[in-house]
Amino acid sequence: MTDTLPPQVASPVAEDTAGSPKKLARSLGVVGGTLLTLSCVTPASSLFVIVPDLFNSLGTFTLMSIVIGTVICVAVAFCYSELGTLVPSAGGEYAMVGTLAGKFTGWLVFIQSLIVVMIVPSIIAMGTADYLEPIIHLDPKWAGAAVMLAATVAGLLDLRANAWITGVFLVLEVIACAVVAFLGFGHSERGVGSLLHGAVSDGAGGSTGVGFAAVLTAMGTALFVTQGFSTAIYLSEELENPRKNVARTVLWTLGLSTAVIVIPVAAITLGAPDLTALTSGNVSQLVIGWSNSGVGTFISLCIALAIINAGIVMVIQNSRVLFASGRDKAWPEPVNRAFGNLNKFSAPWISTLAVGVPGAVLCFVPQSMLINITGVAVAALYLLVAVGALFSRRAHHKDAAAWRQPLWPALPVLVIVALAYVLTQLDHTALWWTLGITAAASLYWALYLRPRPETRWVITLPEDERV
């Protein structure tokens, strides 16, 4: 493609008027990066906020949907790991794909990732009120908005300090997941075979079978459950030795988060007293039934902390996408300069506000709609990353220093085929919303970015990763 960029090439237009592009400080190792990214996956929040939707629709097939989603995510993670080490940029997916497959493809990726990074924190934050219920009754929308604003303030602080703060919170949420798993397995009501036979409550004390078509329909949500593993690449400009550590962070995060989510889901499915309780998806009530109200309160508070933790990390990581888009001249110049501004902690403070404040507003949109739109955007994003992976070994990229995925190009092709089919099975309203946003963004590309190829949408790497 004529607008494909050579790897690691410095571009003079990427520099600002002060003479050099703004860059983030490299202060994270694999452990710190994994802690931050695991907190962005926020396994406990996925388990307590997102997974209940799967229990509502799939019942005993919930685990199967997550396992299938995880298998797809493993292949996607290989694509991310190769591209993230080949093109280590805070721009994440759009920088990787735009460098390899062309600027317009990168722009489409940016729009999908922007949908995800703007919506996901709000979805998670809206779950806070449910888990503070043992202490105080709060409106979910207002509680979510408050969490988003608090996370925004925390996101303006030092990244290394945030890594350890979120690490402490992460320990609490892993403990909560472990307690749920222990109690669920300890009160098993059905055999392991039930995980292979889909059944859901019919609301009248009976049950209804769940077919494989229902699993495919829910695949957008299933992919969303472990979605955060990919956000490790947003920290690639702050990871030490990114050409090794990006892949390690991505793969460690996916493996650990999957274990923390899948094991409790299996335990809940086996330990729920009946299908009605399982289909309700009220994990806190199940915990109280298996133990007592004190344990239930402890678990609820751990989850509330996990949600707050997730909000902090998501705001931190997602602001890096806007920072990189400003540096890469995606917007009119005043906006580019604003997104590129760093405070004394080397945090892109205006980009952080641009993620956190709209996120607070989105807490007043119906959560189900946000989840469905995110499911579509995540599937489209993964598909486009897999397309980018097909270009990773062409011409000058072939011998560049990078972690290389196994079974190339078979895995990217399988991901593209699988996700193209999954997209046809997702909620039609969410598909139209996502398509409308993408169409509007494509118009912006055609009218503003494309006519200015030398001065707009110039994808760059940080100076220490150019050769």
Side-chain angles (χ1 to χ4, degrees):
M1 298 179 68
T2 57
D3 60 353
T4 299
L5 302 177
Q8 311 162 40
V9 175
S11 174
V13 297
E15 298 188 358
D16 61 19
T17 55
S20 63
K22 299 288 182 68
K23 60 182 181 178
L24 302 167
R26 296 201 181 279
S27 59
L28 291 173
V30 174
V31 175
T34 301
L35 286 175
L36 278 171
T37 311
L38 266 177
S39 297
C40 195
V41 178
T42 181
S45 295
S46 293
L47 176 64
F48 286 80
V49 178
I50 309 303
V51 171
D53 280 348
L54 293 175
F55 280 130
N56 295 159
S57 58
L58 300 179
T60 56
F61 258 4
T62 295
L63 180 64
M64 178 175 288
S65 71
I66 296 174
V67 169
I68 293 172
T70 300
V71 171
I72 295 174
C73 284
V74 169
V76 173
F78 285 153
C79 294
Y80 270 88
S81 296
E82 178 165 343
L83 300 190
T85 53
L86 190 63
V87 185
S89 167
E93 294 95 346
Y94 85 73
M96 301 185 312
V97 177
T99 299
L100 298 170
K103 289 184 177 182
F104 180 62
T105 309
W107 179 251
L108 294 178
V109 169
F110 172 66
I111 296 307
Q112 305 312 310
S113 64
L114 190 62
I115 293 172
V116 173
V117 302
M118 296 302 292
I119 293 179
V120 171
S122 305
I123 294 172
I124 299 299
M126 289 165 70
T128 309
D130 291 339
Y131 297 101
L132 289 177
E133 190 67 32
I135 297 177
I136 185 173
H137 176 75
L138 296 171
D139 182 284
K141 296 176 181 179
W142 286 102
V147 168
M148 285 303 304
L149 294 176
T152 302
V153 172
L156 298 173
L157 304 178
D158 180 64
L159 183 64
R160 187 177 304 192
N162 270 316
W164 286 107
I165 292 171
T166 57
V168 172
F169 283 175
L170 181 62
V171 169
L172 288 175
E173 65 177 292
V174 171
I175 290 173
C177 291
V179 170
V180 170
F182 175 79
L183 292 173
F185 285 130
H187 294 80
S188 293
E189 297 285 343
R190 51 191 65 83
V192 176
S194 63
L195 300 174
L196 303 177
H197 297 86
V200 66
S201 172
D202 62 6
S207 64
T208 302
V210 177
F212 195 66
V215 173
L216 291 177
T217 301
M219 194 50 58
T221 304
L223 290 171
F224 182 17
V225 168
T226 56
Q227 179 270 330
F229 75 88
S230 60
T231 59
I233 60 169
Y234 299 157
L235 298 174
S236 60
E237 291 187 31
E238 290 155 285
L239 282 169
E240 300 163 350
N241 193 8
R243 297 194 182 277
K244 290 184 178 180
N245 291 343
V246 169
R248 292 172 181 172
T249 303
V250 168
L251 296 174
W252 269 110
T253 301
L254 178 59
L256 292 173
S257 62
T258 298
V260 173
I261 293 168
V262 164
I263 294 173
V265 168
I268 292 167
T269 304
L270 300 181
D274 51 50
L275 277 178
T276 300
L278 179 64
T279 304
S280 72
N282 193 328
V283 182
S284 293
Q285 287 302 310
L286 288 174
V287 170
I288 292 172
W290 292 329
S291 55
N292 55 58
S293 60
V295 175
T297 298
F298 170 75
I299 296 297
S300 293
L301 293 178
C302 284
I303 302 311
L305 287 175
I307 292 171
I308 295 170
N309 180 36
I312 294 172
V313 178
M314 289 178 185
V315 168
I316 290 172
Q317 292 189 326
N318 298 347
S319 66
R320 272 56 182 174
V321 180
L322 289 183
F323 166 82
S325 74
R327 183 185 60 196
D328 292 344
K329 310 296 183 182
W331 316 104
E333 195 54 37
V335 180
N336 293 329
R337 286 198 300 269
F339 283 164
N341 259 320
L342 304 179
N343 65 11
K344 66 178 181 180
F345 299 112
S346 292
W349 68 277
I350 294 179
S351 295
T352 301
L353 293 174
V355 170
V357 176
V361 175
L362 284 174
C363 290
F364 296 91
V365 176
Q367 190 180 48
S368 59
M369 174 62 74
L370 296 179
I371 290 175
N372 288 336
I373 292 174
T374 303
V376 173
V378 168
L381 179 61
Y382 287 171
L383 188 154
L384 289 168
V385 169
V387 170
L390 294 177
F391 292 83
S392 65
R393 304 187 193 186
R394 293 180 59 188
H396 37 250
H397 303 298
K398 183 177 181 180
D399 299 318
W403 183 92
R404 297 297 182 175
Q405 65 177 302
L407 301 178
W408 182 95
L411 279 182
V413 170
L414 288 174
V415 169
I416 291 168
V417 172
L419 290 177
Y421 179 75
V422 165
L423 280 168
T424 67
Q425 304 300 305
L426 301 182
D427 179 77
H428 288 177
T429 301
L431 281 168
W432 281 113
W433 269 104
T434 308
L435 182 61
I437 294 169
T438 304
S442 298
L443 189 63
Y444 174 80
W445 157 269
L447 297 180
Y448 183 74
L449 295 179
R450 191 174 185 276
R452 301 168 174 82
E454 302 300 323
T455 60
R456 288 294 175 267
W457 199 231
V458 182
I459 301 172
T460 62
L461 288 181
E463 186 176 352
D464 60 349
E465 289 300 327
R466 302 174 190 170
V467 296

